[in-house]
Amino acid sequence: MAKRWSAMVAIALVVIGVISLRERRLATTDPLASERHAEQAFLVEPYLQLGDPPTHQPTRSLTLVWQTADRQADWSVDYKVGADERWRSTPEPAFDRVAMLGVPPHRVYHAKLDLRDADGSVPYRVKKGGETVFTALARSPKDASKPYRFVVFGDCGANSADQKAIACETFKSQPDFVMITGDIVYGQGLISEYLTNFWPIYNADHAAPEVGAPLMRTTLFAAAIGNHDVAGRNLLKTPDGLAYFLYWDQPRSPAGSRAPTPLMGPADRIKAFVDSTAGRYPTMNNFSFEYGNSHWTVLDSNPYVDWTNQALRDWVIQDLTAAGKATWRFVAFHHPGFNSSRAHFDNQQTRLLADVFEAGKVDLVFAGHVHNYQRSHPLRFIPRRDPGGAVARKGELVLGTWSLDRDFDGQTHTKATAPIYLITGAGGNHLYNPEQQDDQASWQSFTARFISKTSSYTRVDVDGSGLVARQLDPQGNELDRFSLSK
Ligand SMILES: [Fe+2]
């Protein structure tokens, strides 16, 4: 009990410290007072999210989110689109109040930017009480005719030097969006951990390899949830757990696709959490969205989701079928289905969906969980079934056989006949199995590349019916590259 209270007091002190530091700064009269005025307005400065756009429609809006202390204020957001010289205003920003034990109550504001006419950078300004307190440029979503760039990494929010360097390199490369393949924030996805391991790095005020970068105010971030993001779901032990559902604003899971993260703890804490999410729990685990000429399916691969459940499988099948017009189909989740690392070898439960991805013509499947980089050959998988018809497993590992498209080399032969599975889980946390990088005999036969001696991230450039994927180290040096074409 004493331990729990001291943890809660520590969280409260961190949050109060952030507020009071900013307010002390406001009291100064130095030349940077206006900039610091902006700082004091926010607990977390504005960042860009998908929001909840209509399913299977082009993404033509983004949602700006910011966090403040729980005080009444008159907030507004203006933005400029295209050649428009006029500022236009979003609908009045709405807020959700986060009121959970051990954390000072605070507000999460949301304002939707309608970017149907936008093409490029969109200046925006956030006003409080009629005074501009924040300005930035948002990168508008590309339409299906345009080339675009995205970055993918997972297992990142560890407050590490490599996480910061990757954030900075990502910022310099100006992607259109960033996808995180889970384990967004260590160790338990808590509010207090976001304050130290996430916001200051991906939403920093300036870009530097030892700091991070002002990425999230300019660039859309999306994410799948990993095991660490739900590790704080016992609200008795971690009253500020499951911050994913409080701070991310992503498409809600359509009917039939919901697989709620199980909650534990006293009923009043569970109610306080659910109320604070304003409906995002439990509806933000599985979802899809469109970007440019691609369709993205984002899944919760935690073991509490049963991917043998036919209703859930049917939703993925329908989702991929409805993506008919998309040139590219990408899938993102946390636990890899095809992993050669000794670490987490028994966690390969997402193989259960391999046949769905094959039939749905998925091009690339992005995962994390295993803290290194692995690229598979294009592969098809057939699970082994026991006499009763159930899929054979060893732990969570699904047993079966695979067939490989070894003609594909990503250089001269770039048409793949089956999905390629990437593990890009070297986004900032300590690396797994560096000894296996040069020990090819330790790799499963489906693995084509295995890079585990350095942190890394994936950068993909899509141009019509071709794409180039690169794996880069924290300094931007190329570790792997392959092309895909239709
Ligand atoms: Fe993980």
Side-chain angles (χ1 to χ4, degrees):
M1 179 63 95
K3 217 171 165 185
R4 176 165 26 110
W5 276 105
S6 60
M8 284 189 253
V9 168
I11 292 162
L13 288 175
V14 168
V15 176
I16 290 165
V18 170
I19 297 169
S20 60
L21 175 65
R22 289 177 175 181
E23 299 212 331
R24 275 204 306 281
R25 285 177 169 181
L26 181 62
T28 64
T29 53
D30 67 47
L32 294 176
S34 61
E35 181 188 327
R36 289 177 178 173
H37 188 169
E39 284 181 31
Q40 68 85 38
F42 302 101
L43 288 178
V44 173
E45 290 173 332
Y47 54 99
L48 292 162
Q49 298 279 279
L50 278 166
D52 187 23
T55 308
H56 294 289
Q57 301 293 319
T59 297
R60 301 306 292 156
S61 65
L62 293 175
T63 296
L64 193 66
V65 182
W66 65 97
Q67 300 171 26
T68 74
D70 186 27
R71 295 196 200 104
Q72 187 53 41
D74 177 21
W75 290 95
S76 60
V77 177
D78 303 330
Y79 59 112
K80 280 187 184 178
V81 165
D84 200 346
E85 290 299 315
R86 289 177 308 107
W87 289 98
R88 56 175 84 176
S89 298
T90 67
E92 185 179 349
F95 72 89
D96 305 321
R97 185 168 181 268
V98 176
M100 292 165 64
L101 190 67
V103 182
H106 55 286
R107 298 183 178 193
V108 182
Y109 278 87
H110 306 254
K112 185 174 176 180
L113 308 175
D114 179 346
L115 300 173
R116 273 175 293 186
D117 305 324
D119 183 16
S121 286
V122 174
Y124 68 87
R125 62 189 186 196
V126 180
K127 291 181 176 176
K128 182 184 179 190
E131 184 187 351
T132 299
V133 291
F134 189 87
T135 61
L137 293 175
R139 196 162 291 118
S140 65
K142 296 278 173 61
D143 68 39
S145 67
K146 299 268 173 38
Y148 54 97
R149 165 175 287 180
F150 61 88
V151 160
V152 190
F153 51 75
D155 308 82
C156 49
N159 198 11
S160 69
D162 280 357
Q163 176 195 0
K164 294 168 187 173
I166 288 172
C168 188
E169 280 299 316
T170 299
F171 180 73
K172 281 160 55 182
S173 73
Q174 301 194 341
D176 289 289
F177 64 98
V178 173
M179 170 63 72
I180 299 180
T181 52
D183 285 1
I184 306 162
V185 169
Y186 290 96
Q188 298 177 90
L190 309 181
I191 290 174
S192 51
E193 292 168 339
Y194 270 77
L195 287 171
T196 54
N197 299 357
F198 192 77
W199 308 120
I201 295 163
Y202 298 118
N203 205 11
D205 283 327
H206 70 284
E210 65 280 6
V211 173
L215 260 172
M216 295 187 78
R217 63 195 57 185
T218 56
T219 307
L220 167 66
F221 267 52
I225 50 174
N227 54 305
H228 283 271
D229 304 306
V230 299
R233 65 183 181 274
N234 185 338
L235 300 175
L236 177 65
K237 291 184 179 165
T238 47
D240 65 331
L242 296 173
Y244 168 78
F245 293 99
L246 303 166
Y247 295 152
W248 289 80
D249 188 349
Q250 309 206 89
R252 312 305 186 253
S253 307
S257 71
R258 292 181 188 168
T261 304
L263 301 177
M264 288 174 275
D268 58 338
R269 292 193 196 180
I270 288 177
K271 181 175 187 313
F273 163 72
V274 173
D275 289 349
S276 296
T277 72
R280 287 186 293 281
Y281 176 86
T283 67
M284 219 168 57
N285 294 54
N286 299 313
F287 60 88
S288 65
F289 67 97
E290 316 300 309
Y291 193 98
N293 67 355
S294 65
H295 175 80
W296 283 80
T297 307
V298 180
L299 304 177
D300 183 349
S301 59
N302 281 295
Y304 56 73
V305 183
D306 176 9
W307 286 110
T308 66
N309 177 306
Q310 196 56 45
L312 286 175
R313 291 170 61 83
D314 285 346
W315 172 72
V316 182
I317 292 166
Q318 283 168 16
D319 182 69
L320 292 170
T321 304
K325 281 189 239 158
T327 305
W328 299 97
R329 289 114 195 271
F330 304 125
V331 175
F333 51 70
H334 186 59
H335 300 74
F338 297 95
N339 164 36
S340 278
S341 243
R342 296 183 180 106
H344 293 320
F345 193 80
D346 287 346
N347 289 171
Q348 301 183 67
Q349 64 267 27
T350 51
R351 288 181 186 186
L352 289 166
L353 287 166
D355 61 331
V356 174
F357 299 155
E358 292 157 23
K361 297 188 165 41
V362 169
D363 298 288
L364 289 172
V365 178
F366 297 94
H369 194 47
V370 178
H371 302 174
N372 51 43
Y373 168 69
Q374 298 176 47
R375 161 158 69 99
S376 80
H377 297 283
L379 75 84
R380 292 177 182 278
F381 178 74
I382 301 172
R384 187 193 308 165
R385 294 190 181 271
D386 65 25
V391 172
R393 299 183 191 231
K394 184 179 167 205
E396 297 291 343
L397 171 64
V398 173
L399 303 174
T401 54
W402 49 82
S403 56
L404 307 175
D405 171 5
R406 287 185 179 274
D407 291 338
F408 174 88
D409 62 12
Q411 310 299 325
T412 54
H413 294 93
T414 57
K415 289 186 194 303
T417 57
I420 293 173
Y421 292 82
L422 296 183
I423 298 173
T424 184
N429 207 341
H430 65 90
L431 294 163
Y432 287 170
N433 302 115
E435 78 285 358
Q436 284 187 259
Q437 177 169 317
D438 300 323
D439 180 13
Q440 198 166 343
S442 74
W443 307 355
Q444 301 294 300
S445 63
F446 51 69
T447 297
R449 296 283 185 282
F450 188 115
I451 297 168
S452 55
K453 290 183 178 175
T454 176
S455 298
S456 65
Y457 63 103
T458 309
R459 194 174 81 200
V460 180
D461 289 290
V462 182
D463 190 354
S465 60
L467 71 72
V468 180
R470 292 178 172 83
Q471 197 69 17
L472 304 164
D473 76 8
Q475 287 70 48
N477 302 305
E478 189 172 294
L479 303 166
D480 184 28
R481 174 165 50 92
F482 64 94
S483 299
L484 270 174
S485 59
K486 294 286 180 180

